Amino acid sequence: MTNGSELGIFLKARRAQVKPEDVGLPTGTGVRRTPGLRREEVAILAGVSVDYYTRLERGKETNPSPAVLDALARILRLNRDEHQHLHDLTAHAARPARQDEHRRARDRTVREGGLVILESLRPNPAIIVTRTNDLLAANPSGAALYPGLVDWPTRLRNVSRYIFLHPAAKELYPEWDKLVPKSVAFLRARAGADPDDPDLVRLVGELVVKSPEFARLWERYELCLHAQGTKAFQHPDVGAMTLDYEAMELANSGGQRLVVYYTVPGTPDHDAVTLLDMIGSGVLARGVPGLQHFGQRADGHLVEGGDRAGVADEEKR
């Protein structure tokens, strides 16, 4: 995708969701062939010509003023994240096409400090993922939290792919229907920061083809930079639990994020994640066949491309 066309896709998708009455326009008595607002209506409300706005949607105008962007954000009823996304898309569209240096420099290797943090958070589940949610590392309960995810080949271990394509996901998430719009909206926000990221393009292309629900939500072009919240789980090994989570970017890591699910000691949810930690580390019988293939270190961490030598030594003792 090009930066200019991505800006146009965003504008078109968002005006389709705004009704005339939402912005004080009469609805009329005839049938409107265009869902939401027409281009000319947006242009008039924004104080620009129809030709100028049309060029924006077609990616031929890439340098609108901040005042025009703010007017469009108001008319299209954008929230704070969406408003920032509009500015980000415009900034990208104005740049000459080139391969970003930071993209070339991205590294899938997790620093030792990140692994130490994962260990310190036990028994709470914690994982480290790329900016497009590829799973790079996990502590024992973090790996056990997603039944079957680590059975997949390394290149397929992606949390977003898991949510939409793994048969266990809908059973794991009792509120799956509420979860998936936020998952798609997160990837949409990532696309605004780097529309031509090859990892993102491949992932979205696959999910659009394989998941009708993802394709439907992707077209809505909603954004969500969720970094914290609460998720309900119905885990096949430990039962129901509700976990709060925080996500934070690791410094100088090329966009790697640490995602931590946390609980309060002495609660049933804490007991559940303690059992997950024991399952993931092999203390209890595992209900997630294939964890051993993820590469588990002697300290219990599961790391992309790791080996089992440390665990084998521990099991002999």
Side-chain angles (χ1 to χ4, degrees):
M1 66 186 78
T2 64
N3 295 334
S5 64
E6 185 69 11
L7 172 61
I9 292 169
F10 178 61
L11 291 172
K12 186 175 181 179
R14 297 322 303 261
R15 72 175 170 87
Q17 298 178 40
V18 180
K19 299 177 182 178
E21 56 266 33
D22 292 336
V23 291
L25 294 176
T27 57
T29 57
V31 177
R32 293 174 65 92
R33 291 179 294 178
T34 302
L37 297 177
R38 301 185 180 99
R39 283 176 178 167
E40 54 267 30
E41 292 170 334
V42 175
I44 291 171
L45 290 170
V48 299
S49 70
V50 177
D51 178 66
Y52 181 87
Y53 180 75
T54 300
R55 293 202 308 274
L56 272 178
E57 278 202 5
R58 291 178 177 174
K60 296 181 179 179
E61 174 59 56
T62 60
N63 194 28
S65 69
V68 169
L69 294 179
D70 292 344
L72 290 174
R74 173 178 49 81
I75 296 160
L76 300 178
R77 304 170 70 85
L78 305 184
N79 61 30
R80 183 177 61 182
D81 289 344
E82 293 161 346
H83 192 167
Q84 182 59 51
H85 185 75
L86 178 61
H87 281 271
D88 290 343
L89 286 177
T90 304
H92 278 286
R95 297 174 188 167
R98 61 179 177 84
Q99 184 179 18
D100 292 328
E101 292 182 4
H102 78 277
R103 185 185 301 155
R104 290 198 298 267
R106 284 177 192 157
D107 189 354
R108 298 177 67 87
T109 302
V110 178
R111 295 195 302 267
E112 188 66 23
L115 300 179
V116 171
I117 292 172
L118 290 178
E119 171 67 16
S120 69
L121 292 167
R122 294 176 64 182
N124 292 309
I127 61 176
I128 294 176
V129 296
T130 66
R131 62 190 306 280
T132 52
N133 283 336
D134 288 341
L135 182 62
L136 299 181
N139 63 12
S141 54
L145 182 63
Y146 305 95
L149 174 58
V150 295
D151 291 333
W152 279 351
T154 300
R155 62 182 178 82
L156 296 180
R157 292 172 191 159
N158 177 283
V159 176
S160 296
R161 179 183 286 110
Y162 179 87
I163 289 172
F164 283 94
L165 301 184
H166 200 286
K170 286 191 176 181
E171 296 182 8
L172 178 66
Y173 297 108
E175 297 180 339
W176 187 87
D177 290 341
K178 296 180 181 179
L179 171 70
V180 292
K182 293 182 178 179
S183 178
V184 177
F186 172 79
L187 291 179
R188 266 298 189 187
R190 286 298 191 186
D194 193 352
D196 298 314
D197 180 347
D199 292 338
L200 180 64
V201 171
R202 283 192 293 268
L203 177 64
V204 170
E206 176 190 0
L207 294 180
V208 165
V209 170
K210 294 182 178 179
S211 171
E213 182 66 7
F214 181 92
R216 182 184 69 81
L217 292 169
W218 186 255
E219 288 299 316
R220 284 169 52 175
Y221 215 131
E222 295 179 346
L223 303 173
C224 178
L225 295 173
H226 60 287
Q228 56 82 35
T230 302
K231 289 182 183 178
F233 295 86
Q234 184 62 47
H235 198 278
D237 295 313
V238 301
M241 54 185 176
T242 301
L243 306 179
D244 295 316
Y245 69 91
E246 296 277 349
M248 58 213 79
E249 188 163 315
L250 299 175
N252 303 315
S253 67
Q256 293 178 11
R257 290 180 303 125
L258 172 68
V259 183
V260 182
Y261 293 89
Y262 59 94
T263 56
V264 177
T267 63
D269 291 329
H270 186 78
D271 293 341
V273 299
T274 300
L275 288 175
L276 274 182
D277 182 76
M278 297 171 73
I279 292 170
S281 59
V283 175
L284 292 180
R286 296 181 176 187
V288 190
L291 279 179
Q292 65 272 21
H293 301 307
F294 193 75
Q296 187 175 27
R297 304 172 358 149
D299 59 9
H301 285 100
L302 293 125
V303 184
E304 180 183 63
D307 60 64
R308 286 274 295 167
V311 175
D313 290 340
E314 288 291 319
E315 291 171 347
K316 291 177 183 177
R317 296 175 185 172

